[in-house]
Structures are given as C-alpha cells and as structure tokens.
Amino acid sequence: MERLLMLMHAPSFSRVRETIAEAVRTASVPSRLTMGLLLDEAPGEEDLETMQKIRGLMVLTAPGGIWEAVHRFWQGEAYVLILSPDAVFSPSWDRELQMMQQKSGERSVLTGILPWPGDPVDAVYAVAGERLEGHTLYFRQGVPLRYAAASHLSAFINPGFAFGPAPFFLRMDPAKGPVFLQAFEERWVLQTMYQPVLHMKQAAEIGSAVLPEGESTERFAKHFGMDLKAGLLSPEIREGIFTPDLQVNMTIPLSVKIQEGIRQSTIGRGGPDPLCVTAFLPQDETAMPDEQEIAHFRRLSAIENLSLLCFARPGAIRKILFSHPNTLEYKPKYSLDLEGTGEEDRRRYEVLNRFFLLAAGREKSEGHSHYIWMDFDYLGYPVYEGTALNWASICTDRVCIGRFREKPDFSMISVPEFLLNDVLREVHAACEAEMVRSGHLPEMEDVLKELLEKNPAMFDLVDLPGLRDLFSLTMASWGEGWGRRD
C-alpha cells in the first residue's frame, strides 16, 4: 500500500480530534498514513500534548483553505485525501480508496457527496449542477451511486472530499479558478466514488463556483452540456451522471436479491394493495418530458412490486409508453373543476388537483385499498427492481403526508380508498370558498391546516429528514431505505 496524506481544515483541534483518532484506528496500515491539519485557532497546551502523541501528524495555523496548503504538508506521499472534519471512516478505508482509484484509472480522482444518516440511501451522491445564473454555477446533490459496479464520470468536484494521486493536488491552484476546470484542462478524470467507505456525521452543502470567461470554460461547457449564454444545464449535469439513459450502472448483489425475495414472501397477501398514480401534465400541451424526468419515472415504473398508473397529455403518451405501458390519455373531466388565473393559481391548482387525479385512478382501476399520488419525477435514486415494499408503513386508516421542516411535502400522498370521497369533498369546498372570497385558489398547505383543525384524526403527518423521502419508509424495515437511520 502506498503512503497517503490526509488533509483537513478545522476551526480548532478539538473539533477534529475524534476524527483523527478514528481515521488511525480504522486504517488498514496506520503507519502509511500521515495527516495535515490546517487550523483557524492555535492549539492550547493540552492540545499540543495530545498532538505530540499522534504519529505522522502535522499542524499549521494559518489563513486560507486546505487546497492552498497542500504544498506545505506534502512530504512525498503517493496519494492525497482532502476531507471534512465531520467524516466517519469504515474499516480499511485507506486500502479501499486506493483500490477504487486504481480501478478507475491512473489519472482519475475520486470525489462525490458523502452520505450521512439522513440520506434516503447509503451511497455516494454525484455532484450535480442546480442552476446557472450569469457566470455563477450552483451545485446540488445529484444521483447516488447505489449498487454501482464502478465509479462514474463526474464533471465537478466536492471541495470537501477528493482523493487521488498527489500530482493532481500539487498542480491545482484555486487562485486560478474552479478546480474542476483545471482538472478538465489537464485531462484529469473526476469520478464519483462508487463505494461509501467514508460517511459524514451531518449533511454538507456545496456552495457555488464562478466560471471565468475564456476558452477553457467554453470547452468545458461544450463537453459536458452547458449553454453559457442561455444559462441552461444538460440533464446529465443536473443529475451529475453521464450515462446514455441517466441511470446508474448497477450490479445487484446476490445477497440482496435473495433477501428481498424472502421478505416479499413474508409480507403476504393480507396487507395493503395500493395503486400509485402519477401524471405528466405540463402547461404547454405540446411539451415532452425531458431526459431527467424520464430517468426518474423509469426508476419508479421499473419496481416490480409497485402498481402504477400514469396520466399524460396526448402529445407525450407515446414517449412515456416506451417506459410504462399503463399510461392513459388525460382528460379534463378527471380534474378539479375550479381554476383561477395567473401563475400562482396554476401552481396551486397543480397541487390541489392531485386528489382528483387519485379519484380518476380509482375510476380506472377499482378495488385497491389505497390510492397514492407520486410526482412524475419523484424517484431521484436507484432502487432494486425486485425490492420488497412494506406498504403498511404509509398505507393506514389515515391520509399520510410527509412533512419536512414543518412544511408538508405533497410530492407523495397516500389516501385510503374509504376516505377519498371525503377528502375530495373537503378540498373542493375549501377551493370554492376561497374563490368566492378572493377570486383565487387556496394554497394546499392552508387547506390541509383547515382540515386538520376540523378532523385531525383523518391525517397522519410524517416528519421526514428530506424532501421526497416518504417512499423510502416503505423500505425502512428491509434496510433498503431508512433502516440505518433508526
């Protein structure tokens, strides 16, 4: 195993003391590990005594970032790891990192957004582009490499996690612009790490990057799919993955296949039998779902133990049918018969109308215990097609809606069949009353608040660690979703 230099930037030594101890304890060959700490606050006498007992530890107290300090710490190590002080280490993490990097290629650099206990799946997430405003590119958490067989190409790098050959880090100069642009120009290949041998204690956000004007930025934009003038990002950049169908190249372990098959048989036939309903209904009736939307929809429609009905406008049906045969033409009679005017009313209508589309789903497919709304592009992470779904976790005798940071998340709504008519009646009455009062449709959040006051026993609001996380509850007891959070 080659020597490895681990670098971290922290406000004080006390902030990173436990992280260092865990890194040494879990390393396969601690003697091959050296560590460099860049501290904002000078250590006290007690901290200095502790530092002297840690083999291979170097400490600097200086302004600036850890990327600028690589040269000051490097002592000939073959590999460099830049990491957040909130990191958690798996056994033999140092050996695993080197093996994955070597498998990815000599000039590859591993990166990605490391998972934390609040993520819906335990996998490294790609760094994706969220939006481009002028010359400022904002990032977000992209698709996780769940069950990935290898690392996947990335356009961007996470400044809080990067691992690769030392020459890469010695060549990078943040003063010259974003590191990912320099990597592209010098033909280093950024890769999203496929095995989560490192985790985070808490969620970490990647801010933004200012793209300099010039040929380098233009070449990068052309290669990865960015329209600098229009401020548009390709589906690949928005997902953070560069495969033809925007899907993770997965290899499902045999143990998972056996486990899910056994667990599916234990659910039995006496549990809930829901129908999931979704729709593609853009304002522009000629609009087609883009590749990112279709990629998310395919993940949902591919799950074997999920019954799904999709409504779509006539122009989009053919494209959606290629992904899911149970797609029907949408008709206006399926929807809420009240409409306001203006952009705000259209947005509110889209949410309020979900309950009426559930009723249309019941009309087309009767006999289900529950009718569940799911947004067309709901599923942003890979799921094993044969996974067992524990519908009893969200299919109860109440209307189940997720809640994130005290606000309801209407991207997924589970309604018992016997309550559907009651809910429709209440929502319609609330819309009529608000139209009479203000001439506009109400916010669904306000309607829900009113219904909770009238009949709190009708609803079950489930606190979620993130948006669009309600579905992962169906996999919690199986370890596919929230099991590790408990």
Side-chain angles (χ1 to χ4, degrees):
M1 224 188 80
E2 302 284 356
R3 290 174 59 207
L4 189 159
L5 171 63
M6 184 178 74
L7 301 175
M8 288 186 287
H9 182 192
S12 64
F13 179 70
S14 60
R15 177 71 172 76
V16 77
R17 183 191 294 112
E18 292 183 5
T19 305
I20 291 174
E22 185 183 12
V24 174
R25 184 175 63 253
T26 54
S28 61
V29 188
S31 61
R32 308 295 290 174
L33 175 65
T34 54
M35 293 165 287
L37 295 184
L38 181 64
L39 302 179
D40 297 330
E41 177 184 306
E45 291 186 7
E46 184 178 341
D47 287 338
L48 287 173
E49 291 181 6
T50 303
M51 291 176 186
Q52 292 173 357
K53 300 176 183 178
I54 302 175
R55 178 179 176 179
L57 177 63
M58 300 171 284
V59 180
L60 288 176
T61 303
I66 193 66
W67 284 81
E68 291 86 350
V70 173
H71 285 272
R72 303 177 67 179
F73 287 110
W74 184 68
Q75 296 182 336
E77 293 87 355
Y79 291 95
V80 173
L81 168 65
I82 289 181
L83 196 59
S84 163
D86 286 322
V88 179
F89 301 81
S90 299
S92 299
W93 59 270
D94 50 339
R95 186 184 303 277
E96 293 294 327
L97 283 176
Q98 293 190 29
M99 290 175 60
M100 282 189 282
Q101 191 277 333
Q102 292 166 6
K103 181 178 178 180
S104 299
E106 182 180 352
R107 292 184 65 81
S108 67
V109 177
L110 303 181
T111 188
I113 302 175
L114 300 176
W116 73 293
D119 282 325
V121 294
D122 184 23
V124 181
Y125 288 71
V127 182
E130 182 177 40
R131 67 186 188 279
L132 180 61
E133 296 180 356
H135 288 277
T136 303
L137 178 62
Y138 294 88
F139 300 105
R140 72 172 190 89
Q141 191 179 62
V143 64
L145 298 195
R146 191 185 203 188
Y147 301 133
S151 297
H152 283 47
L153 176 66
S154 175
F156 310 114
I157 195 166
N158 176 4
F161 165 58
F163 174 81
F168 168 78
F169 294 89
L170 296 171
R171 290 283 298 172
M172 296 299 106
D173 182 2
K176 295 181 180 179
V179 170
F180 60 83
L181 280 180
Q182 296 179 56
F184 176 73
E185 282 297 296
E186 299 199 12
R187 300 185 183 279
W188 288 94
V189 181
L190 304 180
Q191 300 262 323
T192 303
M193 183 173 70
Y194 71 98
Q195 288 290 348
V197 297
L198 301 169
H199 292 77
M200 297 290 289
K201 295 176 183 176
Q202 58 187 5
E205 294 185 359
I206 301 179
S208 60
V210 177
L211 302 177
E213 296 185 6
E215 293 183 2
S216 175
T217 299
E218 291 175 0
R219 284 194 293 268
F220 178 89
K222 183 178 181 181
H223 183 80
F224 287 106
M226 297 170 58
D227 189 329
L228 299 173
K229 293 182 179 179
L232 299 177
L233 304 177
S234 67
E236 290 82 2
I237 282 187
R238 286 184 277 123
E239 283 287 275
I241 190 169
F242 296 84
T243 55
D245 56 358
L246 296 183
Q247 302 293 353
V248 174
N249 296 323
M250 297 194 298
T251 299
I252 308 299
L254 179 60
S255 59
V256 172
K257 294 180 179 180
I258 295 173
Q259 166 190 280
E260 294 304 309
I262 293 173
R263 288 171 172 167
Q264 179 60 32
S265 66
T266 63
I267 293 176
R269 298 176 178 267
D273 176 30
L275 174 70
C276 295
V277 179
T278 190
F280 181 74
L281 305 173
Q283 288 297 315
D284 180 359
E285 297 190 8
T286 64
M288 304 286 281
D290 67 20
E291 294 308 311
Q292 185 181 27
E293 291 171 318
I294 282 291
H296 289 201
F297 178 71
R298 282 175 181 157
R299 293 186 189 127
L300 191 65
S301 64
I303 299 176
E304 297 168 1
N305 299 308
L306 182 147
S307 299
L308 180 66
L309 170 62
C310 177
F311 292 107
R313 297 196 188 279
I317 282 182
R318 177 171 294 184
K319 182 173 183 178
I320 297 173
L321 277 172
F322 281 116
S323 300
H324 188 58
N326 195 20
T327 300
L328 301 178
E329 180 181 342
Y330 165 77
K331 292 181 171 54
K333 67 179 183 179
Y334 299 154
S335 294
L336 172 65
D337 57 5
L338 297 169
E339 291 188 54
T341 58
E343 189 62 33
E344 276 301 299
D345 275 335
R346 283 194 290 271
R347 180 186 61 79
R348 294 171 183 175
Y349 181 88
E350 191 271 330
V351 180
L352 293 161
N353 193 42
R354 293 172 185 180
F355 294 94
F356 296 85
L357 290 172
L358 288 181
R362 180 178 60 179
E363 179 184 321
K364 298 299 180 183
S365 182
E366 296 180 343
H368 292 274
S369 64
H370 294 71
Y371 291 85
I372 301 176
W373 170 265
M374 298 184 78
D375 283 358
F376 183 80
D377 61 346
Y378 182 91
L379 199 53
Y381 54 86
V383 172
Y384 166 47
E385 295 178 1
T387 188
L389 299 176
N390 180 22
W391 288 115
S393 60
I394 63 171
C395 293
T396 65
D397 58 354
R398 299 183 178 191
V399 178
C400 184
I401 300 173
R403 180 170 56 189
F404 175 60
R405 294 178 180 173
E406 303 302 320
K407 294 192 67 176
D409 176 10
F410 298 110
S411 61
M412 184 174 183
I413 308 165
S414 175
V415 184
E417 192 280 333
F418 73 91
L419 283 180
L420 187 52
N421 286 340
D422 294 339
V423 174
L424 291 176
R425 183 173 57 254
E426 294 288 354
V427 172
H428 196 278
C431 291
E432 282 186 322
E434 185 63 20
M435 287 289 288
V436 171
R437 189 187 71 81
S438 66
H440 296 284
L441 289 170
E443 289 280 1
M444 184 59 223
E445 189 172 346
D446 294 332
V447 175
L448 178 60
K449 187 182 299 184
E450 180 182 328
L451 295 181
L452 282 169
E453 292 175 356
K454 292 172 60 177
N455 191 353
M458 183 184 289
F459 294 89
D460 182 16
L461 298 184
V462 180
D463 287 316
L464 306 174
L467 289 171
R468 298 191 172 196
D469 269 355
L470 187 62
F471 182 57
S472 60
L473 269 181
T474 66
M475 297 174 280
S477 60
W478 306 148
E480 277 279 298
W482 280 2
R484 64 192 187 86
R485 297 173 176 164
D486 299 336

